[in-house]
Amino acid sequence: MMRTRPLKVALLGCGVVGSEVARIMTTHADDLAARIGAPVELAGVAVRRPSKVREGIDPSLVTTDATALVKRGDIDVVVEVIGGIEPARALITTAFEYGASVVSANKALLAQDGAALHAAAEEHGEDLYYEAAVAGAIPLIRPLRESLAGDKVNRVLGIVNGTTNFILDKMDSTGAGYQEALDEATALGYAEADPTADVEAFDAAAKAAILAGIAFHTRVRLDDVYREGMTEVTASDFASARAMGCTIKLLAICERAADGGSVTARVHPAMIPLTHPLASVRGAYNAVFVESDAAGQLMFYGPGAGGAPTASAVLGDLVAVCRNRLSGATGPGESAYAALPVSPMGDVVTRYHISLDVADKPGVLAQVATVFAEHGVSIDTVRQQGKDGEASLVVVTHRASDASLTGTVEALRKLDTVRGVASIMRVEGE
């Protein structure tokens, strides 16, 4: 039997995502009520610019006083889509204090202060859901913390930023340079006017922190994630990748150590074999590959950003939180019982592709090979091309630690026959 008194929802932010959330709540009101067991009512919308016309939203619901809205006392669920650290953090904790559960899409805040937010939610007996914080419409958070709760996740490998994937895909498919591809992404609305958060991998690093924390039942903060942007990727890097049967993606990689005693989380460009499912992810799409003991390999794929896709994830959480509220229960909170240490990047073991500019004369290859051997880095393949006294030497290693590779490169730079290190890129997805 459906309850007639509606559940009241406060919406913080009414931009691209927030306006879609409001639209879906209105147009799908009957279906949402049937799925939840009670109607949901948009009780207030907090915005910065109240004079802006917002189609489909009753102007009487609009306010600039977000704090007063969450303090009303009759709000059941607060949907936070304003982003940033403050005032979002204060508004979320205030919502808990005044008896509301929270649905958020705020990856930056969750990556930085997720533990404190979960503690506040638990203290007040409220829910904190955030499916939309990672990979847009793709169901990922809930499968990791619910569907795979009985399994042991060993690795999460994915493309979690649509802007960077569009740029790299365009460079690969058309031969465009980085700036040209970025300009096209901006013109199409995939990249912001200031694309730093995307192209320097801050956005992906926040998502990696959230994924690693859930997958490994360990608190992983943004500061724990190694981050390397993709602005230095060149057309020649793609040519080298193609020669190896690979392409280049900006990957978020979260791994459990082989002995199970630690975890790592990192984001950086990497070569990935064309045979790997992630290699075929094109345009602004996202995909995440999960590897676990019992389930094996799972892949989640779909649009990772945009108003409607992200709103879809927000509404999914809203339905779940409202159902919990009606039943007097709460959903899963933070699971950090494992408390595994997060290893530094220097301990990470992977393959490397190193391109060197060297003198084209006898003995160079032997000198380079000796340096690799002295640092315990095993060489898989070598390719050399030379002309007019200069040469390009491409070395692909077997698996080696980041620390040993760093020492190798420092030693290579000291060789008189090495003119420079043109590029270094990790090779993933074996």
Side-chain angles (χ1 to χ4, degrees):
M1 183 174 179
M2 183 178 294
R3 192 182 82 167
T4 57
R5 184 174 69 81
L7 293 160
K8 295 188 177 183
V9 177
L11 178 61
L12 308 184
C14 197
V16 173
V17 176
S19 59
E20 280 295 312
V21 170
R23 182 189 66 79
I24 295 172
M25 284 184 63
T26 301
T27 58
H28 295 180
D30 291 342
D31 286 338
L32 290 173
R35 293 166 191 170
I36 292 169
V40 286
E41 172 188 311
L42 188 59
V45 182
V47 301
R48 292 178 181 173
R49 298 185 297 276
S51 60
K52 181 180 177 181
V53 176
R54 294 172 173 85
E55 186 177 349
I57 295 178
D58 183 347
S60 67
L61 297 178
V62 176
T63 178
T64 58
D65 194 343
T67 301
L69 178 59
V70 300
K71 283 184 173 181
R72 275 179 33 172
D74 64 339
I75 300 298
D76 293 287
V77 184
V78 170
V79 174
E80 183 272 309
V81 288
I82 57 178
I85 305 302
E86 292 292 359
R89 174 170 49 197
L91 291 169
I92 289 173
T93 55
T94 300
F96 293 142
E97 292 168 6
Y98 280 78
S101 290
V102 174
V103 173
S104 176
N106 196 331
K107 53 190 170 286
L109 178 57
L110 288 159
Q112 179 173 306
D113 289 318
L117 295 178
H118 275 293
E122 183 177 1
E123 177 186 353
H124 296 285
E126 304 296 342
D127 272 324
L128 173 62
Y129 275 52
Y130 44 91
E131 184 68 64
V134 180
I138 305 172
L140 187 58
I141 300 298
R142 194 171 288 111
L144 280 173
R145 72 177 186 175
E146 296 182 33
S147 303
L148 295 174
D151 205 345
K152 179 183 177 184
V153 176
N154 296 309
R155 194 178 199 219
V156 180
L157 171 74
I159 298 164
V160 295
N161 183 280
T163 300
T164 54
N165 198 59
F166 177 89
I167 293 170
L168 292 173
D169 182 39
K170 186 61 63 173
M171 292 175 69
D172 187 22
S173 61
T174 69
Y178 165 74
Q179 189 60 50
E180 183 183 352
L182 173 59
D183 290 344
E184 182 172 351
T186 304
L188 293 172
Y190 293 129
E192 301 287 344
D194 179 1
T196 303
D198 293 324
V199 300
E200 293 295 353
F202 290 100
D203 174 86
K207 295 170 181 176
I210 295 169
L211 290 175
I214 296 170
F216 306 133
H217 305 280
T218 291
R219 287 178 178 168
V220 179
R221 289 171 50 88
L222 180 59
D223 292 345
D224 296 321
V225 181
Y226 172 82
R227 177 190 57 79
E228 183 182 321
M230 43 77 71
T231 58
E232 301 300 318
V233 177
T234 65
S236 62
D237 290 327
F238 275 101
S240 295
R242 282 191 289 273
M244 292 178 57
C246 294
T247 189
I248 299 172
K249 299 291 186 182
L250 184 76
L251 297 178
I253 305 167
C254 312
E255 293 180 305
R256 189 189 299 268
D259 63 4
S262 64
V263 299
T264 59
R266 51 197 165 102
V267 176
H268 53 71
M271 294 182 180
I272 189 166
L274 294 174
T275 53
H276 194 282
L278 291 178
S280 62
V281 178
R282 312 301 297 270
Y285 275 70
N286 284 193
V288 178
F289 211 70
V290 177
E291 301 174 12
S292 67
D293 276 1
Q297 298 180 329
L298 307 170
M299 182 168 165
F300 301 84
Y301 170 84
T310 305
S312 170
V314 170
L315 267 295
D317 279 351
L318 179 63
V319 169
V321 169
C322 287
R323 286 171 173 170
N324 290 345
R325 205 161 184 85
L326 288 179
S327 65
T330 55
E334 183 188 33
S335 175
Y337 73 90
L340 297 171
V342 182
S343 296
M345 187 63 186
D347 293 347
V348 171
V349 175
T350 189
R351 297 175 66 205
Y352 290 86
H353 176 283
I354 304 103
S355 180
L356 305 172
D357 295 327
V358 299
D360 187 16
K361 61 182 185 181
V364 173
L365 180 56
Q367 286 183 329
V368 169
T370 298
V371 170
F372 275 88
E374 289 174 347
H375 288 80
V377 179
S378 176
I379 294 175
D380 183 17
T381 63
V382 177
R383 186 175 73 255
Q384 183 173 2
Q385 292 179 325
K387 184 179 181 182
D388 299 329
E390 298 296 330
S392 173
L393 188 65
V394 176
V395 179
V396 179
T397 74
H398 288 289
R399 292 176 66 81
S401 72
D402 187 82
S404 63
L405 197 282
T406 299
T408 302
V409 172
E410 290 175 354
L412 288 170
R413 295 183 192 276
K414 296 177 182 178
L415 293 178
D416 293 338
T417 51
V418 175
R419 310 293 194 226
V421 179
S423 69
I424 304 171
M425 190 165 294
R426 297 168 183 85
V427 182
E428 301 286 348
E430 299 172 79

